[in-house]
Amino acid sequence: MTNQNQGQDQKQKVIVFGAGGRVGRAAVARARAQGYEVTRAGRADGDVTSAADVARLAAGHDAAVVAVYDAQAAPGVFFPAVARALAEGLPEAGVRRLVSVGLASVLPTASGILLMDGPGYPQDWREFYEGHAAGTEALRAAAPAGLDWAVLSPAGDFASDAPEAGGYAFAPADAASRITHADFARAVVDEAVAPSLHRTHAGVRPV
């Protein structure tokens, strides 16, 4: 799957929350390369756990990408708070599409077992995994019908030094899977501007 949104309205406006991180920067670069208007939003611009700040920053945009993390906050508090702020603030701003970046750890594998529950999977970051899962559940519970959302994560993890594949596919969790930030950003931007996934969490692998 590559450039599936070519030929569509190139004037769509996308806001990227967490634009300073690796995924955020890749999403900004990809969206701009495809001709979209992009607004970068970072911590200095507002609080992503505040619905009022989300609404203020997102006003005038068609879609939002969210790739945020706060090392100082408890994951089980931070990610649900972000989800609730997005669920309230984005519709207030007139934004109808949200793509949030999640974790493979909380995705089912092909066997149906969550990746984080598989044998030998690292458990040191279990609180972080479960915080992400709680954020997705909070979004599922709080998002109104008018907010179409999807959560995307690598099917496994990111590859920092691999060449770009140039395409992607949706896939179950696979601990061995690796995708570049640039290839992952293709999926994020495509889903932001030309949605095919709705109210679900999907893994992304390179093709």
Side-chain angles (χ1 to χ4, degrees), residues 56-173:
R56 172 178 57 83
L57 292 167
H61 294 81
D62 301 293
V65 169
V66 179
V68 296
Y69 167 57
D70 186 347
Q72 306 305 313
V77 175
F78 176 70
F79 290 111
V82 170
R84 289 188 289 268
L86 294 168
E88 180 180 344
L90 291 179
E92 183 178 333
V95 177
R96 300 181 59 85
R97 179 60 173 175
L98 162 66
V99 177
S100 183
V101 177
L103 285 183
S105 309
V106 297
L107 266 179
T109 63
S111 68
I113 298 173
L114 297 183
L115 186 59
M116 66 180 181
D117 293 333
Y121 196 77
Q123 297 298 308
D124 292 349
W125 291 83
R126 181 85 183 196
E127 182 184 6
F128 187 64
Y129 309 157
E130 292 178 342
H132 261 281
T136 298
E137 288 310 306
L139 183 60
R140 191 183 306 279
L147 179 63
D148 186 20
W149 60 268
V151 177
L152 297 184
S153 68
D157 204 347
F158 287 110
S160 58
D161 56 357
E164 289 183 43
Y168 65 87
F170 299 120

Side-chain angles (χ1 to χ4, degrees), residues 21-58:
R22 289 185 179 181
V23 175
R25 292 197 304 269
V28 169
R30 184 64 190 172
R32 286 179 173 167
Q34 292 184 198
Y36 301 112
E37 294 185 45
V38 183
T39 299
R40 297 168 51 94
R43 292 181 184 178
D45 301 300
D47 180 2
V48 76
T49 66
S50 162
D53 281 5
V54 168
R56 172 178 57 83
L57 292 167

